[in-house]
Amino acid sequence: MTQAPIIRGARRWGSLLAIGVICLGGGVAHATAPPLIPIPAEVRAASGSFAVDAHTMIAYAPGDTKAEAAARYLAEELRRSRGVTLAVTATAHPAARSIVLHSDPKASVEQREGYSLDVHSDGARIVSRDAAGLFYGAVTFWQLATADGGRDATRIPGVSIRDWPRFEWRGLMLDVARHFHDVATVKQVLDAMAEHKLNVFHWHLSDDQGWRIEIKRYPLLTSVGGWRTPPGAGTHGEPARYGGFYTQEQIREVVAYAAARHITVVPELDMPGHAQAAVASYPDIVGVNGDHPAVSVDWGVNPYLYNVDEKSFTFIENVLDEVMALFPSTYIHLGGDEAVKDQWKNSPTVQARMKSLGITDENALQSWFTDRLGDYLAKHGRRLIGWDEILEGGLPRTASVMSWRGVQGAIDAAKKDHDVVLAPAGWMYFDNLQSDRADEPNGRLSVLALERVYGFEPVDASLTPEQARHVLGAEATLWSEFIPSARHIQHALFPRVDAMAEIAWSPRETRNWQGFLQRLPAQMRRYAALDIAASDTAFAPAIHVEGDIATILRNGKATITIDNQTAFGTLRYTTDGGAPGADAKAYTAPFTVSLPTTVRAVTFAPDGAAIGSLRTRTVDRDNLLTRRNGELMKCPDGSLGLRMPLLPDLGAMDTPVYDIDLFHACWVYPKAPLDGVTGIRIEAARLARNYGLAHELSKVVSYPSKTAHGELEVHQDSCAGTMLASFPLPEDKALGEPIVLEGKLPALRGEHDLCLRVTAPTDGPLYGLGSVKLTGSHPR
Ligand code: ACM
């Protein structure tokens, strides 16, 4: 076996291209590095290739239970994704051309969770000192065997890998409180985590909108706290009552399923804020001020806090007893985020309690609250982790910190010798949209593109090596206000989880964006084989019409450009109605089409396979004069931008979505070509205003109205400009009903921005604009 020099990860792939041309049995030259994500610490190309087919055996030595578990996992993964069934056999003398898994306390890779994997024509061998390492070796082998996305037999080029993780905490958080996701969906997430070598599943089990874990001693937590009545309940497919919870038996099942994949489940019960579902269930035990709220239907920040008296602590400790019995995790997450202190400030009993404790402000009270629960967990051999707000009143002695409001919380905590996990919203909040494309589903309107995720570095340069040791790792979070279904989860997580996994697993010096992109097409094929609806945003062709619309309409010709978010691959297109295949014209420069023409485009990866799905744009009068949701601009640039579904809990991916700025009900139709325009047609919808804004409520701008439900006004140039039209909003439309507003515009010439503004009362529903179309005898 000839060996090429060691390739340390992606940075040297260019070299691998030069030296590592590997001939497969059929004589096909493969000039690419192994398509593995996360990239292993060390990869060497090796000669030969290894056939995996129905005759291939997976073998382990009798009594080697760690190897047996990984062997069975590998067989099941290959069956699931390729449809090949390999025999798993305990034998001291494996046949030639077997995949052998072997525990060895003296294995050459010494790092925890590390492994070596050698593939050559006589077989494959995975060796590790520990069970996790064998498991990750199996994952790597599975990736090698599924890169082509095909079924049945395959052939793997020879390779020699030594690999281990950079961080011990490679986390993914799923919020099941805002939208409930059933056990089957959670298991799919765990399967995908294992396939990415992620090992901490942070399960956000309670929040204002739902309590999701059965607690035997307090049954109302789930019978009351597990359910809410959504806005629009019972109409347009919206459920009449929304919710659900996991029984303790189901929790045990999930914990065991995760453990079999070397994933620790860290439960989160959020406190003292985000407590409304708990308070709704037991207002007289944990509530403040005698308030009896219902389970919240509002996203955002709600005011209900846990009480700080002994009754409340007894309740919380009893709940934690059951939680600790269910979850073997050392860490228990007790939230701590966004606890607005109004209730504590306004409660004479809470104020008296503070006084008796000698605590002078409410942040310090939260610190005391957290510290006390941290002590309780510590007495039971557990550790508390919380969001970075727990730093505010003085960091509780025993706590570890999950930094979400940027990275400063992690830096501060690490400098104080506390362990930290990095989950900063600007890089790790996967409920943000992946692009500004109009075809993105629900989410927060901030764009968190794949490349930005990939660029995150968990260890800040200001930390000393000693302090850096407190960085346990990184975590991606999926908050679920806008994630109502398993399909939405898949779209939001993948492939951004691939970028995150490489940050958390691979040595820093191996990370390379272009190398990562090269390895993604294989990963997209794995997703397809597993029926995971990964987002193709990074490769999706964007078909742009250049120049001003009036000129295009006058000349009947338009200049088209095509690009994609990552500038990866070859964009191929047609203008004759056919679907672009591998032989379609490659886009290299702007081109001209006559109106009407439909442009169809697909991105092809360097290996010649399509990556992502077809995108289409029809260039005609109607299309050029219409701006749809996502093509209208925000005005002024709002800070709380959301892409909301028609109704909060509709689970279909094709539910209409609307871009909303919670503070300003206005949008801009940029550069409207008004020559010959005589009218306007607006499709709008009345949406639930279900958002708790707490202290930000005062920022909501209301515009003066003349009729009961307000109007949709059209202004010239800016919202302060001349009003061109005003359409009273109808009285008889329920939430989610489409509203069509149509009427005349005065004759104007040239291009003008149009401000579209809703003057409806701000204590009523929100409005969204589906599309705005200019009508009339535009010059041809
Ligand atoms: C958070 O996003 N409130 C932790």
Short mmCIF file of all heavy atoms in Angstrom, two decimals, residues 175 177-178 204-212 225 268 270 273-278 295 300 302 337 479:
data_model
loop_
_atom_site.label_atom_id
_atom_site.label_comp_id
_atom_site.label_asym_id
_atom_site.label_seq_id
_atom_site.Cartn_x
_atom_site.Cartn_y
_atom_site.Cartn_z
N ASP A 175 -36.02 23.66 20.64
CA ASP A 175 -37.11 24.23 21.44
C ASP A 175 -38.38 23.45 21.08
O ASP A 175 -38.82 23.50 19.93
CB ASP A 175 -37.22 25.72 21.09
CG ASP A 175 -38.47 26.40 21.62
OD1 ASP A 175 -39.19 25.80 22.44
OD2 ASP A 175 -38.71 27.56 21.20
N ALA A 177 -41.06 23.84 23.14
CA ALA A 177 -42.10 24.54 23.91
C ALA A 177 -42.96 25.40 23.00
O ALA A 177 -44.18 25.38 23.09
CB ALA A 177 -41.46 25.38 25.00
N ARG A 178 -42.33 26.15 22.11
CA ARG A 178 -43.10 27.06 21.23
C ARG A 178 -43.90 26.23 20.24
O ARG A 178 -45.08 26.47 20.03
CB ARG A 178 -42.16 28.02 20.51
CG ARG A 178 -41.79 29.27 21.30
CD ARG A 178 -41.27 28.99 22.70
NE ARG A 178 -40.88 30.19 23.39
CZ ARG A 178 -39.66 30.75 23.35
NH1 ARG A 178 -38.67 30.15 22.69
NH2 ARG A 178 -39.41 31.87 23.98
N HIS A 204 -35.05 22.06 25.10
CA HIS A 204 -35.71 23.22 25.74
C HIS A 204 -37.17 22.82 26.00
O HIS A 204 -38.02 22.94 25.13
CB HIS A 204 -35.59 24.42 24.81
CG HIS A 204 -36.11 25.70 25.38
ND1 HIS A 204 -35.39 26.47 26.28
CD2 HIS A 204 -37.28 26.36 25.20
CE1 HIS A 204 -36.09 27.54 26.60
NE2 HIS A 204 -37.25 27.50 25.97
N LEU A 205 -37.41 22.37 27.23
CA LEU A 205 -38.67 21.66 27.54
C LEU A 205 -39.75 22.52 28.16
O LEU A 205 -40.87 22.03 28.34
CB LEU A 205 -38.35 20.49 28.50
CG LEU A 205 -37.64 19.29 27.88
CD1 LEU A 205 -37.04 18.40 28.97
CD2 LEU A 205 -38.60 18.49 27.01
N SER A 206 -39.44 23.73 28.56
CA SER A 206 -40.50 24.56 29.13
C SER A 206 -40.30 26.00 28.71
O SER A 206 -39.17 26.46 28.56
CB SER A 206 -40.51 24.47 30.67
OG SER A 206 -39.49 25.29 31.21
N ASP A 207 -41.41 26.67 28.51
CA ASP A 207 -41.36 28.09 28.19
C ASP A 207 -42.76 28.65 28.43
O ASP A 207 -43.65 27.94 28.89
CB ASP A 207 -40.87 28.32 26.74
CG ASP A 207 -40.05 29.61 26.63
OD1 ASP A 207 -40.63 30.68 26.90
OD2 ASP A 207 -38.86 29.55 26.31
N ASP A 208 -42.93 29.92 28.08
CA ASP A 208 -44.23 30.55 28.30
C ASP A 208 -45.36 29.82 27.57
O ASP A 208 -46.48 29.76 28.03
CB ASP A 208 -44.19 32.00 27.81
CG ASP A 208 -43.16 32.82 28.56
OD1 ASP A 208 -43.15 32.76 29.82
OD2 ASP A 208 -42.36 33.51 27.92
N GLN A 209 -45.03 29.26 26.41
CA GLN A 209 -46.08 28.71 25.53
C GLN A 209 -46.31 27.22 25.73
O GLN A 209 -47.14 26.64 25.03
CB GLN A 209 -45.72 28.98 24.07
CG GLN A 209 -45.60 30.43 23.72
CD GLN A 209 -44.26 31.04 24.12
OE1 GLN A 209 -43.36 30.34 24.59
NE2 GLN A 209 -44.12 32.34 23.96
N GLY A 210 -45.61 26.58 26.65
CA GLY A 210 -45.88 25.17 26.87
C GLY A 210 -44.89 24.52 27.82
O GLY A 210 -43.71 24.88 27.84
N TRP A 211 -45.40 23.58 28.60
CA TRP A 211 -44.58 22.73 29.47
C TRP A 211 -44.64 21.34 28.89
O TRP A 211 -45.74 20.80 28.72
CB TRP A 211 -45.12 22.76 30.90
CG TRP A 211 -44.30 21.95 31.85
CD1 TRP A 211 -44.30 20.59 31.97
CD2 TRP A 211 -43.34 22.44 32.79
NE1 TRP A 211 -43.39 20.20 32.92
CE2 TRP A 211 -42.79 21.32 33.45
CE3 TRP A 211 -42.89 23.72 33.13
CZ2 TRP A 211 -41.82 21.43 34.44
CZ3 TRP A 211 -41.92 23.82 34.13
CH2 TRP A 211 -41.40 22.69 34.78
N ARG A 212 -43.51 20.73 28.56
CA ARG A 212 -43.54 19.53 27.72
C ARG A 212 -43.08 18.24 28.40
O ARG A 212 -42.96 17.23 27.73
CB ARG A 212 -42.64 19.77 26.49
CG ARG A 212 -43.01 21.00 25.68
CD ARG A 212 -44.34 20.86 24.98
NE ARG A 212 -44.69 22.05 24.24
CZ ARG A 212 -45.93 22.52 24.13
NH1 ARG A 212 -46.95 21.87 24.69
NH2 ARG A 212 -46.18 23.61 23.45
N GLY A 225 -50.49 23.07 31.46
CA GLY A 225 -49.35 23.79 30.89
C GLY A 225 -48.91 23.30 29.52
O GLY A 225 -48.16 23.98 28.84
N GLU A 268 -33.61 21.39 29.60
CA GLU A 268 -33.71 22.77 30.09
C GLU A 268 -35.12 23.03 30.60
O GLU A 268 -36.10 22.83 29.88
CB GLU A 268 -33.38 23.80 29.00
CG GLU A 268 -33.53 25.24 29.55
CD GLU A 268 -33.34 26.35 28.52
OE1 GLU A 268 -32.97 26.05 27.37
OE2 GLU A 268 -33.58 27.52 28.87
N ASP A 270 -36.74 26.45 31.85
CA ASP A 270 -36.36 27.86 31.86
C ASP A 270 -36.96 28.52 33.10
O ASP A 270 -38.16 28.41 33.36
CB ASP A 270 -36.86 28.52 30.57
CG ASP A 270 -36.01 29.72 30.15
OD1 ASP A 270 -35.26 30.24 31.00
OD2 ASP A 270 -36.11 30.13 28.99
N GLY A 273 -37.67 33.42 34.43
CA GLY A 273 -38.58 33.94 33.40
C GLY A 273 -38.99 32.83 32.46
O GLY A 273 -38.69 31.65 32.69
N HIS A 274 -39.66 33.21 31.38
CA HIS A 274 -40.21 32.22 30.44
C HIS A 274 -40.97 31.13 31.20
O HIS A 274 -40.87 29.94 30.88
CB HIS A 274 -39.10 31.63 29.55
CG HIS A 274 -38.58 32.61 28.54
ND1 HIS A 274 -39.30 32.99 27.43
CD2 HIS A 274 -37.42 33.32 28.49
CE1 HIS A 274 -38.59 33.87 26.72
NE2 HIS A 274 -37.46 34.11 27.35
N ALA A 275 -41.70 31.56 32.22
CA ALA A 275 -42.31 30.63 33.19
C ALA A 275 -43.82 30.58 33.08
O ALA A 275 -44.48 29.97 33.93
CB ALA A 275 -41.91 31.06 34.60
N GLN A 276 -44.39 31.18 32.04
CA GLN A 276 -45.84 31.36 32.05
C GLN A 276 -46.62 30.04 32.05
O GLN A 276 -47.67 29.95 32.70
CB GLN A 276 -46.28 32.24 30.86
CG GLN A 276 -47.73 32.69 30.98
CD GLN A 276 -48.08 33.78 29.99
OE1 GLN A 276 -47.18 34.52 29.55
NE2 GLN A 276 -49.34 33.91 29.64
N ALA A 277 -46.13 29.02 31.36
CA ALA A 277 -46.87 27.75 31.35
C ALA A 277 -46.87 27.13 32.74
O ALA A 277 -47.89 26.56 33.18
CB ALA A 277 -46.27 26.79 30.32
N ALA A 278 -45.76 27.25 33.45
CA ALA A 278 -45.71 26.71 34.83
C ALA A 278 -46.63 27.51 35.74
O ALA A 278 -47.37 26.94 36.56
CB ALA A 278 -44.27 26.75 35.35
N VAL A 295 -51.80 29.76 29.59
CA VAL A 295 -50.56 29.47 28.85
C VAL A 295 -50.47 30.48 27.71
O VAL A 295 -51.45 30.76 27.04
CB VAL A 295 -50.59 28.02 28.30
CG1 VAL A 295 -49.36 27.76 27.44
CG2 VAL A 295 -50.67 27.02 29.45
N GLY A 300 -42.11 35.93 22.17
CA GLY A 300 -41.41 37.11 22.67
C GLY A 300 -41.17 37.02 24.17
O GLY A 300 -40.95 35.95 24.71
N ASN A 302 -42.52 37.59 27.87
CA ASN A 302 -43.73 37.70 28.68
C ASN A 302 -43.34 37.94 30.14
O ASN A 302 -42.23 37.61 30.54
CB ASN A 302 -44.57 36.43 28.50
CG ASN A 302 -45.12 36.34 27.07
OD1 ASN A 302 -45.93 37.14 26.66
ND2 ASN A 302 -44.63 35.38 26.30
N ASP A 337 -32.74 33.32 30.98
CA ASP A 337 -32.74 34.41 30.01
C ASP A 337 -34.00 35.27 30.13
O ASP A 337 -35.04 34.80 30.55
CB ASP A 337 -32.66 33.84 28.58
CG ASP A 337 -33.79 32.86 28.30
OD1 ASP A 337 -34.10 32.04 29.18
OD2 ASP A 337 -34.36 32.92 27.19
N TRP A 479 -34.75 27.69 17.99
CA TRP A 479 -35.97 28.17 18.63
C TRP A 479 -37.12 27.92 17.68
O TRP A 479 -36.94 27.97 16.45
CB TRP A 479 -35.83 29.66 18.97
CG TRP A 479 -34.69 29.89 19.90
CD1 TRP A 479 -33.44 30.32 19.58
CD2 TRP A 479 -34.67 29.62 21.31
NE1 TRP A 479 -32.65 30.36 20.70
CE2 TRP A 479 -33.38 29.93 21.77
CE3 TRP A 479 -35.61 29.14 22.22
CZ2 TRP A 479 -33.00 29.78 23.10
CZ3 TRP A 479 -35.24 29.00 23.55
CH2 TRP A 479 -33.96 29.31 23.98
#
